[in-house]
Every structure is written in C-alpha cells, then in structure tokens.
Amino acid sequence: MSFSFQHFRRFLLTIPYIVAHWLRDHLPFVWKVAESANATLFHLCYAHRLRQIEPTAMQMATPFEMVPIADVPTDQLVAFFQKQPKELYRWFTPHGFETDDIKALQQNPSFLGYVFKQDGKIVSYFFLRCYCNGECYFGRLVDSPYMRQGIGTRMNQISFYISESLRLDSYQTIANGNIASIRSCAKAYRLKPVRSIANGDILYKNCKL
C-alpha cells in the first residue's frame, strides 16, 4: 500500500512537466498563451524577492561575473550556443537556440537565465524555468574548454540558493547515464528520483543535503 501511494504521488508530481512539454511540442500557440500568463503571474508574485536575493547570488559566482541573460546581447548568446560541440546537446535540449527563441527567453520574467563571464567572455549558462504554482526546473551548460573546473557545481549551488530563497520546489531532468551531471549536482544538493520520462531521462527533485 505504501509503495503504491508513493508511486502514484510521484506520477502526480510529473503531470505539470509532462503537460508543459506536450503543449510546447504539439500546441505551440496554446503553450505561448499559457507561458505568457505564467510569466505575468510569476513576476507579480516573485519579482520583489528576486531583486533582494540576486546580489547575494552574484557574489556567490566570484571570481566569475554573473549576468542575467536580459542584459546580454542576443547575438552573443546565440554564438555561445552555436559553437558548442553537437554531442553536448544529447544532454541539453531545454529550449530552442535560434535568435527568436533566445529573445523570447530574455523577455520572459519567469525564465531566470544567467551566464558566467570571464574577461567579458561567456563561459557558462544556467537557468531556472519557474512556474507560479511554486515549482521551477534547472538547466545548465558549461563551455567545453571550461569543463571540469567546478563551474557546473557553482551554478548548481546558485540555482538552489535562488529556488530556496524564493521558496520554490526545484526539479531537473538528467539523461540516464549522465554520471558527470549527477556528481556535480550531488555537491550542491541531494537528488531525489521522481520518475522516468518517456525519452529516457529521469526527473529529480532537488533537496537539501
């Protein structure tokens, strides 16, 4: 009985994720309307608190400069994504990477996207895709020459700090077999498996260590 209840509960937790991705892939017009409404509500509920905590998050990024994507020229972001090795996108396909896709994200107040810069150059990117129901989803990408330098762990720590400060339950999907990502996350928070997704990824809830 206990196992069955937990299994059912885990399934319920994935419904918003499944519905959101289905709408995005099959009914893009409906997805855009829902995303716009969510962005407005999220901004009304969380913008003030976000302004209060962002300075601390940016200090956590030292020695890198942490910059919101809204303050980064769109062409710089597009160029950053275009130069990454194609195999990286086996693990990282959270949104489109064309100019119009990036502009839409820059204008979306519920999409908390940031980059790390070093000497004016983008070396990594991460985001929290937030929902007004109190949930958010993490994603991150490190420029290939800067991998294995602890940047991913630092982004994980900052993402978790932001989500906890905003009192958002945070989740992420990790491809089955992506051991490097799992190890990086484990240094910042505890990963609690929720369930497998249709594409083989595993949905995790991020919990305090």
Side-chain angles (χ1 to χ4, degrees):
M1 176 70 73
S2 176
F3 175 80
S4 298
F5 173 76
Q6 290 298 328
H7 186 78
F8 180 66
R9 182 175 179 272
R10 289 180 179 181
F11 172 75
L12 290 178
L13 287 172
T14 66
I15 290 177
Y17 176 88
I18 295 170
V19 171
H21 277 255
W22 190 89
L23 288 174
R24 187 188 70 180
D25 295 338
H26 300 282
L27 294 174
F29 173 74
V30 176
W31 166 251
K32 287 181 179 179
V33 172
E35 191 173 42
S36 177
N38 175 72
T40 300
L41 288 172
F42 183 84
H43 179 74
L44 290 172
C45 295
Y46 294 96
H48 177 69
R49 178 59 177 156
L50 180 62
R51 286 194 295 269
Q52 291 179 322
I53 67 172
E54 269 191 337
T56 299
M58 291 177 178
Q59 290 176 1
M60 293 171 64
T62 305
F64 301 99
E65 179 188 9
M66 176 176 149
V67 184
I69 61 170
D71 298 332
V72 180
T74 306
D75 59 345
Q76 286 187 18
L77 289 166
V78 173
F80 170 77
F81 293 125
Q82 288 180 341
K83 74 172 186 174
Q84 302 306 318
K86 290 184 179 179
E87 57 266 23
L88 284 180
Y89 294 105
R90 290 172 55 201
W91 316 115
F92 191 74
T93 56
H95 53 69
F97 300 102
E98 300 300 324
T99 299
D100 289 346
D101 300 318
I102 301 304
K103 284 183 177 179
L105 296 176
Q106 289 176 303
Q107 297 168 5
N108 183 348
S110 65
F111 188 90
L112 309 182
Y114 304 91
V115 299
F116 279 5
K117 283 190 171 185
Q118 186 175 65
D119 299 325
K121 176 183 178 182
I122 298 175
V123 300
S124 67
Y125 161 78
F126 68 103
F127 68 83
L128 297 81
R129 187 187 290 274
C130 304
Y131 295 92
C132 56
N133 68 345
E135 296 180 352
C136 69
Y137 293 82
F138 292 177
R140 68 207 148 271
L141 179 66
V142 179
D143 194 7
S144 52
Y146 294 87
M147 289 182 173
R148 298 179 178 87
Q149 297 183 28
I151 296 176
T153 298
R154 194 179 298 265
M155 291 190 296
N156 288 331
Q157 291 168 339
I158 294 172
S159 296
F160 195 64
Y161 166 75
I162 293 174
S163 66
E164 287 290 288
S165 298
L166 295 178
R167 298 180 181 176
L168 299 174
D169 291 333
S170 61
Y171 300 85
Q172 64 183 304
T173 58
I174 300 178
N176 191 17
N178 188 354
I179 304 301
S181 184
I182 291 174
R183 287 176 177 171
S184 176
C185 293
K187 297 176 183 178
Y189 41 77
R190 180 171 57 88
L191 290 172
K192 181 180 179 181
V194 177
R195 69 174 279 122
S196 296
I197 306 301
N199 64 1
D201 291 358
I202 299 175
L203 178 67
Y204 293 92
K205 182 175 182 179
N206 308 317
C207 306
K208 288 183 179 179
L209 290 172

